[in-house]
Amino acid sequence: MAARNKPSLDTLGDIFRLAVRRFRAAPLAYGHGTTNARDEAAFLVLEALRLPIDRLEPYLELKPTPDERSRLLGLIDARVSLRLPAPYLVGAAYMHGVRFHADRRALIPRSFIGDMLAGGTLPIGDFRRVRRVLDLCTGSGCLAILAALAFPHARIDAVDLSAGALTLAKRNVATHRLGERIALHRGDLFRPFSNRRYDLIISNPPYVDAGGMAKLPPEYRHEPRLALAAGQDGLELVRRILAEAPRHLTKAGSLVCEIGRGQKLLYAAYPHLPFVWLDSEQSKGEVFWIARSDLA
């Protein structure tokens, strides 16, 4: 009798519903592209089968092969038991429909700056006039790639301290066929660039403070600590970026930087700087824009 009452797992819809139930029953943390169990389950099953991730309904009656079913069930088990973020399990993450390779060598692609690049909402009059962009702490290369797509006439330098992250970034750049416009560099912030100047500097640097690092959910602990931890108050790298940016910006250049929850601390440290906060439906007070003229 118990066997007859066991839920069927014949279709993708059956497996999806199982995933939702298990995710809701587990103490999972989200934030790596999804915010809830249903979206996480949909992403996991669709991407694992390399189906379009924006529409689940057309595939609910799809019948996976035995191997596909086994893989999907293994991924669901791993998501619950190992608390691995879904993008690491399937090796991919998306930002505004743009697919990036993802693995544990770099932070999973996500950034409010990416939203602004894709949406064209940065406070720049003519995107076509941006010719040089610098992406600090590039990680997987996602922001450098989105910048190349947003600024069609720009060349982008992208830098990171991690050799592993840069290897992943190289793969992403090659996948998007942007190797002629994006140059990857290994180094500590501005050090590889001497006196080179840029029309725009973008950065999603590490900004998690010591208290935040101590409270990170298991999912986030799978990501490189180097890409998250930023000293006692979370502003360790932001201070350096603000200090060094003026001599790497053109006269009309600007800096865009994501800082998480550090707005109050930033105002306390730099009360004289006229930060402009680029808020959106998803974030408030987490990304600032400032012109070189104000920094200098």
Side-chain angles (χ1 to χ4, degrees):
M1 182 66 69
R4 284 197 296 271
N5 291 334
K6 187 176 181 180
S8 167
L9 295 176
D10 292 333
T11 69
L12 194 64
D14 296 331
I15 296 171
F16 163 72
R17 288 183 284 272
L18 170 69
V20 173
R21 290 195 299 271
R22 292 200 60 190
F23 292 173
R24 285 175 175 168
L28 301 184
Y30 303 101
H32 294 102
T34 67
T35 59
N36 58 74
R38 190 182 189 283
D39 290 347
E40 184 91 341
F43 168 75
L44 191 67
V45 299
L46 290 171
E47 179 60 30
L49 298 183
R50 292 305 301 269
L51 296 169
I53 65 163
D54 56 342
R55 297 185 65 198
L56 174 66
E57 287 73 18
Y59 307 104
L60 289 175
E61 298 305 316
L62 182 71
K63 293 188 176 182
T65 66
D67 286 346
E68 289 172 337
R69 185 186 302 110
S70 177
R71 179 165 187 257
L72 290 171
L73 295 177
L75 290 171
I76 294 167
D77 280 339
R79 181 67 184 92
V80 172
S81 62
L82 302 178
R83 299 285 298 272
L84 274 164
Y88 281 165
L89 288 168
V90 295
Y94 290 77
M95 294 175 69
H96 289 271
V98 181
R99 186 178 188 271
F100 299 101
H101 302 291
D103 63 38
R104 292 174 67 174
R105 290 174 293 183
L107 203 70
I108 292 170
R110 61 185 184 277
S111 172
F112 298 123
I113 297 175
D115 299 339
M116 296 164 193
L117 288 169
T121 58
L122 290 176
I124 296 172
D126 186 352
F127 276 35
R128 293 172 299 180
R129 299 184 66 180
V130 175
R131 300 287 179 164
R132 301 285 309 189
V133 178
L134 173 60
D135 176 22
L136 296 171
C137 309
T138 194
S140 65
C142 59
L143 290 186
I145 290 166
L146 291 176
L149 298 176
F151 304 111
H153 303 294
R155 290 188 175 273
I156 292 90
D157 283 324
V159 62
D160 204 282
L161 198 57
S162 166
L166 288 172
T167 301
L168 178 60
K170 183 178 180 180
R171 184 184 179 194
N172 277 318
V173 169
T175 295
H176 289 280
R177 300 181 180 181
L178 289 168
E180 292 185 0
R181 293 179 54 210
I182 298 176
L184 299 171
H185 308 264
R186 187 181 182 193
D188 187 6
L189 295 182
F190 297 96
R191 288 184 182 176
F193 306 112
S194 184
N195 294 318
R196 195 175 299 177
R197 292 181 180 267
Y198 299 89
D199 301 306
L200 178 67
I201 296 173
I202 58 176
S203 184
N204 181 21
Y207 55 69
V208 182
D209 61 28
M213 289 298 297
K215 298 175 183 177
L216 282 180
E219 283 85 348
Y220 291 83
R221 294 183 183 276
H222 288 289
E223 295 185 288
R225 182 180 178 86
L226 182 67
L228 294 168
Q232 191 63 33
D233 65 359
L235 296 181
E236 188 175 276
L237 272 75
V238 175
R239 289 190 182 89
R240 292 179 53 200
I241 291 170
L242 288 169
E244 299 177 43
R247 67 185 183 91
H248 291 281
L249 285 167
T250 59
K251 288 184 178 181
S254 55
L255 166 68
V256 178
C257 185
E258 185 168 331
I259 63 165
R261 304 176 189 175
Q263 186 186 58
K264 290 184 179 179
L265 288 171
L266 194 68
Y267 272 135
Y270 301 93
H272 59 291
L273 291 183
F275 297 108
V276 176
W277 296 94
L278 306 180
D279 296 340
S280 66
E281 293 182 4
Q282 291 77 33
S283 71
K284 185 174 182 180
E286 297 188 63
V287 177
F288 70 77
W289 176 91
I290 191 164
R292 180 192 181 276
S293 56
D294 292 322
L295 278 172

